[in-house]
Amino acid sequence: QVQLVESGGGSVQAGESLKLSCARSEYIPNTCRMGWYRQAPGKGRVLVSSIDRDGTTTYSDSVKGRFTISQDNAKNTLYLQMNSLKTEDTAVYYCAAYIRDTRDTRITGACLPDYWGQGTQVTVSS
């Protein structure tokens, strides 16, 4: 059974840094993208950053310029370097593996999140 395990969360002061890791227990076939989401108390889960197989990255406006997503395919590990942390970055952070739908070989199927980690808490205080 595939597992995604996040680590690296913790409690820091505003302005400090953290680096999150997401280790995949095994290679996941048809993985088209990896992403980091976060969920603040009382709010929904939102996409923070993603990285495609070709290395294309995306960032939400709230973290652009402060967070960097990367991955080490040899180690099956996804990272999120978070710098200049703000109190509003406080949330549970989840990694997700997106899987390409290959049921219809005539088309390029959807790339959707299919595997999730259990989350790691990040708390930023002023």
Side-chain angles (χ1 to χ4, degrees), residues 36-90:
W36 284 102
Y37 287 73
R38 69 185 181 188
Q39 186 166 16
K43 297 188 177 180
R45 192 173 298 188
V46 296
L47 178 65
V48 173
S49 181
S50 68
I51 182 166
D52 286 359
R53 285 175 58 91
D54 64 0
T56 300
T57 59
T58 67
Y59 298 93
S60 66
D61 287 343
S62 61
V63 307
K64 200 172 295 182
R66 300 187 297 120
F67 290 11
T68 303
I69 191 170
S70 62
Q71 60 185 348
D72 184 333
N73 291 324
K75 295 182 178 181
N76 278 340
T77 303
L78 177 73
Y79 303 99
L80 185 68
Q81 176 67 47
M82 306 186 296
N83 298 328
S84 302
L85 283 161
K86 304 176 180 180
T87 56
E88 52 263 43
D89 295 319
T90 295

Side-chain angles (χ1 to χ4, degrees), residues 9-56:
S11 296
V12 296
Q13 297 286 318
E16 295 183 341
S17 299
L18 281 174
K19 186 173 185 177
L20 305 183
S21 299
C22 171
R24 303 190 288 279
S25 60
E26 60 189 83
Y27 171 72
I28 306 174
N30 300 318
T31 301
C32 48
R33 180 177 299 140
M34 295 294 298
W36 284 102
Y37 287 73
R38 69 185 181 188
Q39 186 166 16
K43 297 188 177 180
R45 192 173 298 188
V46 296
L47 178 65
V48 173
S49 181
S50 68
I51 182 166
D52 286 359
R53 285 175 58 91
D54 64 0
T56 300

